[in-house]
Amino acid sequence: MAWQMTPGEVLDRFTSEEMIRVLAYQNLYGPVGPRRLDVLTARLGMDVAAPHMKKGRMPRLKDHLVQWSRPRKTGRELLEMVKSLQAGFETKGGQR
């Protein structure tokens, strides 16, 4: 689990000058912390997709950024959902 501070703790711990430097760094190089790798990977995805897009179109960061969330179902419930989806694909394709 990542360690996080509340906004009040951040304000108590860092000076205004340090906060300005962190914000300037984030504006230039992306977020500080665990989310940084997600943003860097999304930027790489944008660079890979750009040459393959229609002329005049540009990839967007949000299209390549993974949105992590906690599953609201148990592992068994998710497995059953995947099995039912797979069964639907197999019957529609006339395979079984």
Side-chain angles (χ1 to χ4, degrees):
M1 176 191 265
W3 177 72
Q4 295 178 351
M5 290 189 283
T6 66
E9 291 171 329
V10 171
L11 293 173
D12 289 342
R13 185 169 178 175
F14 295 98
T15 66
S16 297
E17 184 177 322
E18 289 171 327
M19 290 301 297
I20 290 169
R21 286 185 182 176
V22 168
L23 291 174
Y25 181 88
Q26 287 190 144
N27 288 338
L28 289 172
Y29 303 110
V32 176
R35 190 164 183 260
R36 179 168 174 76
L37 291 177
D38 289 348
V39 171
L40 291 175
T41 305
R43 286 186 179 172
L44 177 62
M46 288 173 55
D47 292 341
V48 170
H52 304 285
M53 296 188 72
K54 291 182 181 178
K55 191 172 184 176
R57 306 269 327 234
M58 294 297 294
R60 297 181 304 181
L61 181 68
K62 71 176 189 172
D63 293 336
H64 297 273
L65 192 59
V66 175
Q67 297 296 322
W68 298 100
S69 64
R70 291 184 168 181
R72 299 187 192 280
K73 298 181 179 187
T74 66
R76 292 180 197 272
E77 291 170 330
L78 291 172
L79 179 61
E80 288 304 315
M81 184 178 69
V82 169
K83 285 181 179 179
S84 68
L85 288 171
Q86 183 65 36
F89 285 123
E90 289 174 355
T91 57
K92 284 183 180 177
Q95 299 289 329
R96 291 183 182 166

